[in-house]
Amino acid sequence: GTFVNVSGLGVIFVGDSGTGKTKYALELVGRGHQWIADDALDIERRGDLLYGRGHDLVKSFINIRSRGIVEADKFLGAQAILDGSVINLIVELRKTDQKAWQKIDSEDESCDIMGVKLPCMGLPGFPQTRRICRHVELRVQELMRKMERGDS
């Protein structure tokens, strides 16, 4: 998966190779959010929360399909990188066609990871970069409102 922090909430993109996980995460960083990790994540349970960060061996690198492996801090700038975050949302990217936009999964889905229930959403994968990023940002805003009301 690929892990970013969007407006203060941790979002992990999962999906098959070629669905755009790294591409979407980089697009979100370009929109002012923060990069955490690509491909290898360390996840640990802390009470009722999951905390994630990049695996020590690869946390400084990003594997970009068109460029190869680059150093994250040189490519993005140190201010765009975060060491770790609580995990708040899982986004599953799926290989699909244009009609999939009519069938976006319910935003009320959840998944269980290490005994912690997390919100999950399924979205069509590459090449819908801007639309995907906007959907993720809107979902994060919705989660933030729920957290503020205590509806977590």
Side-chain angles (χ1 to χ4, degrees):
T2 303
F3 192 19
V4 290
N5 187 282
V6 177
S7 301
L9 299 186
V11 177
I12 295 180
F13 288 96
V14 298
D16 292 337
S17 178
T19 54
K21 298 177 297 291
T22 302
K23 181 173 182 56
Y24 299 140
L26 288 171
E27 176 73 19
L28 284 163
V29 170
R31 294 165 75 121
H33 305 293
Q34 292 180 295
W35 181 268
I36 299 172
D38 190 27
D39 287 335
L41 308 176
D42 284 335
I43 298 173
E44 65 181 278
R45 186 173 174 160
R46 296 183 181 175
D48 291 336
L49 301 173
L50 292 180
Y51 183 83
R53 64 183 177 279
H55 188 280
D56 286 341
L57 293 175
V58 296
K59 69 180 180 182
S60 301
F61 301 101
I62 303 171
N63 186 3
I64 302 173
R65 194 171 288 267
S66 61
R67 286 192 143 147
I69 296 173
V70 299
E71 292 183 57
D73 60 342
K74 290 180 181 166
F75 186 72
L76 300 172
Q79 75 285 352
I81 300 172
L82 193 60
D83 187 53
S85 174
V86 169
I87 301 166
N88 302 98
L89 176 65
I90 306 295
V91 178
E92 181 185 0
L93 299 174
R94 301 175 181 149
K95 290 184 180 179
T96 185
D97 60 21
Q98 295 287 338
K99 295 178 186 172
W101 279 100
Q102 299 167 1
K103 302 176 197 169
I104 291 176
D105 285 349
S106 165
E107 294 179 352
D108 294 325
E109 274 191 48
S110 64
C111 51
D112 186 286
I113 299 174
M114 298 171 64
V116 176
K117 190 175 174 181
L118 292 173
C120 298
M121 64 187 296
L123 293 171
F126 185 76
Q128 301 291 334
T129 308
R130 287 190 177 86
R131 289 177 81 182
I132 292 285
C133 290
R134 188 65 190 137
H135 274 277
V136 171
E137 288 171 327
L138 290 170
R139 181 66 170 126
V140 164
Q141 289 171 5
E142 179 184 314
L143 287 173
M144 291 172 73
R145 284 190 298 273
K146 283 183 177 184
M147 291 168 77
E148 287 170 4
R149 290 190 313 255
D151 294 347
S152 60

